[in-house]
Amino acid sequence: MKRPFAELSGTGSYAPPRVMTNDEFSKILDTSDQWIRERTGIRERRVSSKDESNACMGKAAALQVLEQNGLTPLDVDAIVYATASPDRLLPSAACDLQAILGAKNAAAFDVGAACSGFVYALNVAEGLIASEQGERVLVVAAEKLTSIMDWTDRTTAVLFGDGAGATLVRRSAGARGILASYMKSDGTLAELLYRPGGGAAHPPSEELLKDHSYYIKMAGREVFKAAVLSMADACDHALQRAGLAAGDVDLLIPHQANIRIIEATAKHAGVPMDKVYVNVDRFGNTSAASIAIALDEAVKTGRLVPGMTVMFVAFGAGFTWASMVVKW
Ligand code: COA
């Protein structure tokens, strides 16, 4: 087995206290708890308040990671921030976090890979260490999706939630760390899951607000099929690159979009569901943050303990998909 170059050290997460149930959606949209549970596995999600910005949620998760490592914000060499819902379009969410954290010695930038963002960001962090840009790279994944979803569209609104997760990537001291990873994209399918308006091509206008093209649009059925195929591809490649078989995986942490996608991915990968971490029922789809939040929960509840082999697999808008095998 390859000796890992970089390891993940410490985990943190933040979930807004406001829990929104499916029944609450059925009061404002033509939907039901039964439909949402059967088609997605989601029971409830977290909804951030006005005071819980994307960067504030990221900061809460990041501080837990720094504390576990005995570090202060001044020790951070770089912040790599994965998000599809930054508080503003310019500058980056990473710079917002750098400011409120007081990480005065850190480079800071965002990674835009939607729901694959956390796994992409971990790869970027490993690369920064390899190119000697720093030794302690804070990877934060945070989403405030409830601000950019269309609350009048039942086909998307019921799916998303808010939250943040974080970890620190540093040079591996021993057997712990990243064993293999894989990243892929297909931008020709971008319009199956996207925000049509609000960027430089379609700047904010009255019309854009009226036709709701500022919000996330999705062709659910097509995205579902692509997610299943892509996550299968990602599992295969990560295991192959790590020189491991499905039986070597102690815990699979997939992107939490839909329980049916998670089950199909686990089945393809050959990992039984009792080795798959699932919290989509409690959080819905938190995009880039989903694997980061699940990872923190898995560690804090003792599902993931040192010595285990964990595999992350993600899929998101772009399309992007990615996987990573880590010796914990
Ligand atoms: N409540 C009730 N009915 C709903 C609904 C809701 N919230 N959302 C959609 N429907 C309706 C549709 O309008 C459609 O009605 P019609 O047959 O009268 O046209 C019917 O349910 C079936 O819609 P369909 O889109 O075929 O359902 P589905 O089984 O594919 O489930 C998703 C829809 C969105 C749950 C599913 O496609 C999915 O999870 N896709 C992937 C989404 C995702 O994970 N995106 C992020 C990737 S990172």
Side-chain angles (χ1 to χ4, degrees):
M1 197 187 288
K2 177 189 148 212
R3 192 180 173 282
F5 174 74
E7 67 174 327
L8 279 56
S9 180
T11 60
S13 67
Y14 178 81
R18 162 83 169 103
V19 175
M20 183 169 180
T21 62
N22 292 342
D23 282 333
E24 286 180 74
F25 265 116
S26 64
K27 289 186 188 125
I28 55 172
L29 290 173
D30 180 14
T31 190
S32 67
D33 174 53
Q34 190 185 357
W35 192 96
I36 300 169
R37 266 192 295 108
E38 284 178 5
R39 301 291 177 112
T40 71
I42 299 166
R43 283 192 288 114
E44 59 192 38
R45 73 285 295 140
R46 300 302 179 98
V47 178
S48 54
S49 69
K50 264 196 196 144
D51 298 331
E52 292 167 303
S53 68
N54 184 315
C56 284
M57 293 191 281
K59 179 184 176 187
L63 284 175
Q64 295 163 31
V65 172
L66 292 179
E67 194 188 339
Q68 286 162 34
N69 281 284
L71 298 174
T72 75
L74 296 176
D75 299 316
V76 176
D77 297 318
I79 298 170
V80 184
Y81 205 107
T83 188
S85 53
D87 293 316
R88 47 190 177 186
L89 296 180
L90 192 74
S92 64
C95 282
D96 285 341
L97 177 63
Q98 185 274 339
I100 60 173
L101 207 52
K104 288 185 185 163
N105 301 314
F109 59 94
D110 290 359
V111 166
C115 305
S116 310
F118 181 62
V119 183
Y120 266 63
L122 292 174
N123 273 297
V124 171
E126 185 184 33
L128 288 174
I129 296 165
S131 60
E132 302 189 350
Q133 295 293 319
E135 289 292 329
R136 290 169 295 268
V137 181
L138 193 55
V139 173
V140 178
E143 298 287 9
K144 195 173 165 70
L145 295 169
T146 57
S147 292
I148 59 163
M149 71 185 198
D150 186 345
W151 285 79
T152 65
D153 176 8
R154 69 176 182 174
T155 69
T156 51
V158 301
L159 304 175
F160 299 109
D162 300 332
T167 188
L168 185 88
V169 178
R170 66 179 188 196
R171 208 175 281 266
S172 175
R176 291 192 79 235
I178 299 168
L179 300 179
S181 65
Y182 173 75
M183 294 187 285
K184 199 91 189 280
S185 69
D186 185 353
T188 66
L189 301 173
E191 290 173 14
L192 295 176
L193 175 51
Y194 74 138
R195 284 174 76 192
H202 303 286
S205 63
E206 257 178 54
E207 188 165 337
L208 188 145
L209 287 177
K210 259 187 239 151
D211 69 13
H212 288 204
S213 63
Y214 175 75
Y215 298 118
I216 297 171
K217 307 272 179 223
M218 181 174 65
R221 213 174 294 177
E222 286 76 10
V223 172
F224 187 98
K225 283 183 214 149
V228 170
L229 291 173
S230 306
M231 284 166 80
D233 172 61
C235 289
D236 291 349
H237 278 88
L239 285 176
Q240 190 194 346
R241 288 183 179 182
L244 296 176
D248 298 316
V249 174
D250 298 303
L251 188 66
L252 175 66
I253 305 185
H255 170 48
Q256 309 283 317
N258 181 313
I259 189 65
R260 293 185 293 143
I261 297 175
I262 292 172
E263 284 168 355
T265 302
K267 190 171 173 202
H268 173 89
V271 178
M273 281 305 289
D274 63 351
K275 289 187 176 176
V276 180
Y277 197 85
V278 176
N279 66 9
V280 68
D281 52 326
R282 290 179 288 114
F283 287 96
N285 182 347
T286 57
S287 191
S290 93
I291 292 178
I293 294 170
L295 172 64
D296 184 49
E297 283 196 342
V299 170
K300 288 185 176 150
T301 57
R303 280 285 298 277
L304 180 59
V305 296
M308 280 188 171
T309 299
V310 58
M311 180 159 75
F312 308 139
V313 58
F315 170 84
F319 290 152
T320 57
W321 59 105
S323 52
M324 181 171 272
V325 181
V326 178
K327 177 62 78 179
W328 198 255

